[in-house]
Amino acid sequence: MKQKQLRIALRNCGVIDPERIEDYIAKDGYLALGKVLTELTPEATIEIIKKSGLRGRGGGGFPTGLKWEITRKVHGDQKYVVCNADEGDPGAFMDRSVLEGDPHSVLEAMAINGYCTGASKGLVYIRAEYPLAIERLKIAMKQAREYGFLGDQILGTGFCFDIEIRYGAGAFVCGEETALIHSMEGLRGEPTVKPPFPSESGYLGKPSNVNNVETYANIPVIINKGADWFASIGSAKSKGTKVFALAGKINNVGLVEVPMGTTLREVIYEIGGGIRDGKAFKAAQTGGPSGGCLTVKHLDIPIDYDNLIAAGSMMGSGGMIVMDEDDCMVAIAKFYLEFTVEESCGKCSPCRIGNKRLFEILEKITQGNGILEDLDKLKNLGKVIIDTSLCGLGQSSPNPVLSTLDNFYDEYIDHVTYKKCKSKVCKSLMTYIIDEEKCIGCTLCARNCPVNAISGERKQAHYIDPEKCIKCGACMEKCKFNAIFIN
Amino acid sequence: MTKITSLTELKKLRDSLKEKMESYSLLDHPDSIIQVKVAMATCGQASGARPVFDYFKEELEKRNIPAMVTQTGCMSYCYAEPTIEVTIPGKNPVVFGFVNTRKADEIIERYIRKGELPDGVIPVNYETVISQ
Ligand SMILES: Cc1cc2nc3c(=O)[nH]c(=O)nc-3n(C[C@H](O)[C@H](O)[C@H](O)COP(=O)(O)O)c2cc1C
Ligand code: SF4
Ligand code: SF4
């Protein structure tokens, strides 16, 4: 049987010892670099990347070859190759896995980029919370220097290139390329207006080619196997594969790498082994806090950059969080907004203040105090934030709200009009009730209630005081007669 | 370490390393040896891959079974960490999930010694590109 997964970026992950360069060399490591340096001009190499159709895996999906060409054409006495290993998307761990499992593939690709763009220096921006990835990167860099794949006169040619590591403190916004560059410069990790793009004016004002870890990991294979081979994989406008970090209510939590154009159904049911405990699939969040949710009606669309945008979500960096019938979509939207409010750098008002207001409205709704008008407010405010924010964080932060409003409007109505949370997540909207018919008065619940909200005589039906109840669920768990239920 | 100074030299090195690595899993080759790979990325280590790695190293030596125990990155079966892959010369690699030291003992005694497959085998569900 043909497998659903195809590994390009993860080709060596879990196969080689990441701390032994010899393992990497045995798998054709640094061959692409050697080939490029001795047999191809920078222009010809860029042409291969352009023809391959590779697009950035960090979120935006910008054509990689074009970015390299732009960086090459800009004049500068010094240029930089930057690797974005910030990976701030909650639930995502693709880039960490690549760096921990196959660090040389990223180093090799950065050197190839240096040759193409005319840069002699590379910088890996990585969050300090990734100590193992950092350690393995350092080992890899040392070994690459010993073999002469980094440093002066690489592989006997005149090309000189070396790489340094820069640490981030783990702010989501520092994954945005301009903020990332400022953070590396020792300034506050705040975005600035584009243009100028980093390719024109980046680190220390010099042309800097910023690409994501996974984007780089694809490069050596494209050089070795050719642009046509790569372009034969995937869908019309999205070539190659994409790594997803599959998480949430799914049986096989893990990393998957599938050709672009694979459907959500294949990822969830065939690779992911279906929803946990046989529950029903409700939604999958892609693109993290900047993305949206895909629902049952999206199960059969081929996943690629353009289809996800058309479906109201986006590819993002590859986080995929699966939700089942027990998840409340209003609460999910609130979760992401809480994250954004925390992570907004605060530089511009729409994002700093607007997201806070969005969050407050959602909180009001989940507490049972929402009114119909709030739903319009969410929509209008969300659109204003998207239109007026400075950077990609604010420009996408309302997406989880807007997409849940689009796909699960009835759930919002349940919360607002009927004050009900069907998934039984929003505590303020739940009441614990004892069924008088079923209760035999064993007193077990009353003895387990932490706030003494349950009263009743022995051998007689008990009663929960809704004023006192804090909805902890302890009584329901303890009752042996299923006499307690949630309304 | 001598530096590699040309593409030809690199290819030569690759060929010899490749041949050596492939010979480990060949039947009746002087270099053939049992290989145990332990997934030691953050996810694996957080679930206890380190003691499993040490256990295989120590126990295989103690039990006089010549074997090569190495670490790898994430094998991608995060739901079944710690995961390991065992290759017996002449056979396809087998991946085991949820390996602790007790399971490791079972794998050594049953699979490595006798070739019987204990529970916990994870079917490989992907294809990998081969560069050339
Ligand atoms: C709020 C925000 C966070 C981002 N976080 C990341 C990240 O963690 N990793 C990443 O590679 N790109 C991230 N990006 C995208 C980068 O700005 C940039 O587009 C990307 O690194 C370019 O590389 P690529 O073309 O290879 O995708 C983020 C963008 C925004 C707006
Ligand atoms: S949109 Fe948000 S994160 Fe981006 S610059 Fe404005 S305040 Fe900062
Ligand atoms: S849900 Fe908790 S607080 Fe409420 S009645 Fe039951 S045990 Fe008491």
Side-chain angles (χ1 to χ4, degrees):
Chain A
M1 192 188 82
K2 197 165 161 10
Q3 300 287 0
K4 293 278 176 204
Q5 291 199 63
L6 175 67
R7 299 211 164 168
I8 301 176
L10 294 177
R11 64 196 175 280
N12 294 325
C13 241
V15 177
I16 66 169
D17 183 342
E19 295 182 14
R20 276 176 41 95
I21 191 171
E22 292 79 11
D23 278 22
Y24 183 66
I25 296 173
K27 297 276 179 190
D28 298 328
Y30 291 104
L31 196 70
L33 177 63
K35 197 165 150 185
V36 163
L37 292 183
T38 39
E39 293 170 1
L40 294 170
T41 61
E43 288 86 355
T45 312
I46 291 175
E47 206 47 49
I48 295 177
I49 305 300
K50 277 172 83 175
K51 243 181 91 191
S52 75
L54 176 67
R55 293 169 67 176
R57 303 297 194 234
F62 190 81
T64 305
L66 187 59
K67 187 182 279 182
W68 291 27
E69 187 173 62
I70 295 169
T71 319
R72 171 168 182 80
K73 285 189 175 154
V74 177
H75 288 283
D77 49 344
Q78 173 75 53
K79 294 182 188 178
Y80 294 95
V81 179
V82 179
C83 173
N84 187 344
D86 187 60
E87 197 164 49
D89 186 345
F93 50 90
M94 304 78 51
D95 295 348
R96 188 189 72 204
S97 299
V98 170
L99 290 170
E100 288 178 355
D102 192 19
H104 286 287
S105 66
V106 175
L107 301 183
E108 181 180 2
M110 288 176 74
I112 294 173
N113 181 281
Y115 174 69
C116 290
T117 56
S120 61
K121 248 191 139 104
L123 299 161
V124 179
Y125 184 85
I126 183 166
R127 47 178 53 221
E129 288 113 315
Y130 280 1
L132 187 63
I134 291 169
E135 192 191 316
R136 293 202 173 140
L137 259 178
K138 281 186 180 161
I139 295 171
M141 280 159 52
K142 182 166 168 281
Q143 293 172 339
R145 281 186 202 115
E146 285 168 359
Y147 269 101
F149 300 133
L150 287 179
D152 291 338
Q153 265 122 45
I154 294 173
L155 282 160
T157 67
F159 177 60
C160 306
F161 185 80
D162 213 335
I163 296 176
E164 278 176 37
I165 301 181
R166 294 298 161 87
Y167 305 102
F172 178 56
V173 74
C174 286
E176 196 283 334
E177 50 194 8
T178 61
L180 180 148
I181 285 166
H182 299 314
S183 168
M184 290 201 301
E185 290 167 340
L187 304 172
R188 288 179 68 148
E190 285 179 354
T192 40
V193 181
K194 293 189 278 190
F197 290 92
S199 292
E200 302 153 350
S201 169
Y203 182 61
L204 303 176
K206 307 289 183 192
S208 308
N209 186 93
V210 184
N211 274 127
N212 165 262
V213 171
E214 190 188 330
T215 313
Y216 282 124
N218 278 292
I219 300 289
V221 192
I222 295 176
I223 302 289
N224 284 333
K225 297 203 62 153
D228 293 334
W229 165 80
F230 191 80
S232 72
I233 302 162
S235 63
K237 285 192 183 154
S238 308
K239 299 302 183 187
T241 56
K242 180 76 196 84
V243 182
F244 289 100
L246 199 53
K249 306 283 180 60
I250 184 116
N251 278 319
N252 302 345
V253 168
L255 279 182
V256 305
E257 180 170 354
V258 288
M260 297 276 188
T262 303
T263 65
L264 191 60
R265 186 187 299 280
E266 289 169 311
V267 172
I268 291 177
Y269 290 97
E270 291 180 43
I271 300 168
I275 308 297
R276 238 184 251 170
D277 302 325
K279 301 232 164 152
F281 166 78
K282 186 168 193 178
Q285 176 86 11
T286 62
S290 317
C293 59
L294 302 170
T295 65
V296 176
K297 69 171 189 263
H298 302 117
L299 274 173
D300 291 308
I301 60 162
I303 302 173
D304 66 13
Y305 290 103
D306 309 291
N307 284 342
L308 287 190
I309 287 180
S313 182
M314 63 180 234
M315 184 74 85
S317 54
M320 187 182 278
I321 299 178
V322 178
M323 287 161 268
D324 70 7
E325 51 192 300
D326 293 339
D327 288 302
C328 164
M329 298 315 284
V330 185
I332 296 280
K334 196 179 88 177
F335 165 82
Y336 282 111
L337 252 290
E338 193 177 355
F339 177 84
T340 324
V341 168
E342 183 78 12
E343 295 291 336
S344 160
C345 81
K347 185 171 177 169
C348 62
S349 352
C351 170
R352 181 184 68 243
I353 305 170
N355 280 317
K356 180 89 182 153
R357 292 292 98 85
L358 277 185
F359 174 73
E360 286 166 358
I361 298 173
L362 288 170
E363 191 155 64
K364 188 175 148 202
I365 294 175
T366 55
Q367 284 172 351
N369 301 322
I371 49 174
L372 264 181
E373 240 171 74
D374 288 332
L375 302 186
D376 291 333
K377 261 194 207 152
L378 284 176
K379 257 193 190 155
N380 293 336
L381 182 54
K383 283 189 187 130
V384 171
I385 296 172
I386 289 177
D387 287 344
T388 54
S389 286
L390 190 156
C391 86
L393 191 149
Q395 287 159 9
S396 62
S397 57
N399 285 351
V401 186
L402 297 179
S403 114
T404 46
L405 267 172
D406 261 354
N407 290 300
F408 296 97
Y409 193 73
D410 51 338
E411 251 177 73
Y412 278 87
I413 294 289
D414 281 347
H415 282 71
V416 171
T417 312
Y418 303 105
K419 312 290 176 208
K420 282 221 165 16
C421 174
K422 275 198 193 123
S423 317
K424 299 181 178 147
V425 171
C426 301
K427 285 195 172 169
S428 309
L429 301 180
M430 307 184 327
T431 23
Y432 281 83
I433 297 177
I434 297 179
D435 184 340
E436 287 179 21
E437 305 276 296
K438 285 188 182 163
C439 177
I440 63 149
C442 74
T443 75
L444 195 59
C445 58
R447 281 182 278 138
N448 278 287
C449 175
V451 291
N452 290 325
I454 306 181
S455 56
E457 293 295 314
R458 225 187 145 72
K459 297 201 174 152
Q460 274 173 27
H462 280 46
Y463 166 77
I464 298 175
D465 180 352
E467 297 288 310
K468 280 193 192 161
C469 173
I470 56 164
K471 296 157 194 185
C472 71
C475 53
M476 193 156 112
E477 217 171 272
K478 287 281 179 237
C479 180
K480 293 186 180 120
F481 305 94
N482 288 327
I484 302 175
F485 63 97
I486 299 170
N487 195 0
Chain B
M1 191 78 48
T2 45
K3 290 195 178 187
I4 311 276
T5 52
S6 72
L7 181 58
T8 331
E9 232 178 279
L10 174 62
K11 282 184 179 161
K12 238 167 62 201
L13 176 66
R14 181 216 39 205
D15 291 341
S16 72
L17 286 169
K18 199 177 231 167
E19 194 187 312
K20 188 154 191 249
M21 265 162 215
E22 280 165 3
S23 67
Y24 296 144
S25 17
L26 295 178
L27 202 60
D28 299 328
H29 188 280
D31 287 341
S32 48
I33 189 165
I34 289 162
Q35 297 169 73
V36 179
K37 290 179 181 176
V38 182
M40 301 260 271
T42 297
C43 42
Q45 295 200 13
S47 329
R50 175 67 61 185
V52 170
F53 179 83
D54 294 341
Y55 185 88
F56 273 109
K57 265 213 134 114
E58 287 161 21
E59 288 299 315
L60 287 165
E61 204 180 303
K62 257 194 232 161
R63 301 180 200 185
N64 282 320
I65 303 171
M68 201 163 66
V69 183
T70 53
Q71 62 168 353
T72 71
C74 176
M75 291 182 185
S76 86
Y77 309 103
C78 308
Y79 65 97
E81 292 291 356
T83 47
I84 68 157
E85 186 191 88
V86 181
T87 313
I88 296 178
K91 291 190 184 179
N92 283 331
V94 177
V95 178
F96 297 93
F98 303 106
V99 181
N100 51 21
T101 49
R102 219 178 62 220
K103 185 92 206 166
D105 175 55
E106 192 189 346
I107 291 168
I108 295 175
E109 289 307 317
R110 289 190 53 198
Y111 184 61
I112 295 183
R113 271 204 213 274
K114 299 187 194 136
E116 303 168 0
L117 273 185
D119 295 342
V121 176
I122 300 179
V124 172
N125 64 352
Y126 59 83
E127 281 172 39
T128 304
V129 295
I130 301 171
S131 233
Q132 284 296 288

